[in-house]
Amino acid sequence: MILGHIDSPSLAGCHPELVRTIGIALDAQPQACAPGRYELEGDRLFMNVMHLTTQLPDEKKAEQHRAYVDIQILLAGEERILYGVAGSGRQCETWHEEEDYQLCGEIDNPHSLLLRPGMFAVFMPDEPHKPGCTVGEPGEIKKVVIKLHRTALGL
């Protein structure tokens, strides 16, 4: 997991391809986009713009991916994300190959981060994460989740 701000992704230690990817997505003006999927470079790189209400962590399951790196950028509101290291997902459900996700009921030794507008978190394949969690009370957020195929990073 990598945490940083969109003003300086290279300072967060991001691979040059991640820096390029964040720039491409921000150039597409996700803050002005309606919720939905937007292709940037076909299936290799796309983004999902989301508007949602945060929930208590106990009301959500963690997710993990195999084929794609998740770059989650908060555009509005506040969001807590629980996460773990690769392989720490527990009580995992059926793998959904076509949509590239698996839900897990638990993260072993979870950590927590707080996103505010302009901040991003990068989750590598097999790193479980539970986005959209409350910071205090449930609230509205807008975010963009950039999906970069793992082969772009040589994974």
Side-chain angles (χ1 to χ4, degrees):
M1 193 283 303
I2 301 169
L3 180 65
H5 195 278
I6 58 173
D7 290 341
S8 53
S10 59
L11 292 179
C14 286
H15 184 284
E17 182 62 18
L18 291 174
V19 174
R20 185 184 85 82
T21 295
I22 291 169
I24 289 169
L26 293 175
D27 286 347
Q29 301 289 316
Q31 64 276 14
C33 293
R37 177 182 164 139
Y38 297 85
E39 289 193 11
L40 302 171
E41 292 179 356
D43 284 340
R44 181 186 176 279
L45 174 62
F46 60 94
M47 67 181 186
N48 295 316
V49 176
M50 303 172 183
H51 186 125
L52 57 109
T53 302
T54 59
Q55 297 176 283
L56 295 172
D58 292 346
E59 298 173 342
K60 301 181 64 62
K61 293 185 180 182
E63 61 187 60
Q64 54 189 15
H65 313 284
R66 288 184 186 154
Y68 286 91
V69 174
D70 253 18
I71 306 166
Q72 302 203 10
I73 302 175
L74 191 64
L75 302 171
E78 287 187 321
E79 172 187 28
R80 183 168 311 284
I81 300 178
L82 303 179
Y83 68 96
V85 298
S88 63
R90 301 290 183 266
Q91 301 170 3
C92 296
E93 299 175 5
T94 303
W95 181 256
H96 299 270
E97 190 74 36
E98 187 151 323
E99 295 90 8
D100 186 45
Y101 80 92
Q102 181 180 42
L103 297 178
C104 299
E106 188 177 303
I107 299 172
D108 185 41
N109 192 27
H111 299 274
S112 175
L113 60 90
L114 171 66
L115 289 184
R116 292 203 167 106
M119 295 178 73
F120 67 85
V122 180
F123 299 99
M124 296 298 176
D126 298 316
E127 288 183 340
H129 49 286
K130 189 186 292 190
C133 295
T134 59
V135 177
E137 296 295 317
E140 298 295 314
I141 63 170
K142 185 170 185 179
K143 67 188 299 181
V144 60
V145 179
I146 306 162
K147 307 290 267 182
L148 177 65
H149 199 274
R150 66 185 298 146
T151 57
L153 298 178
L155 302 175

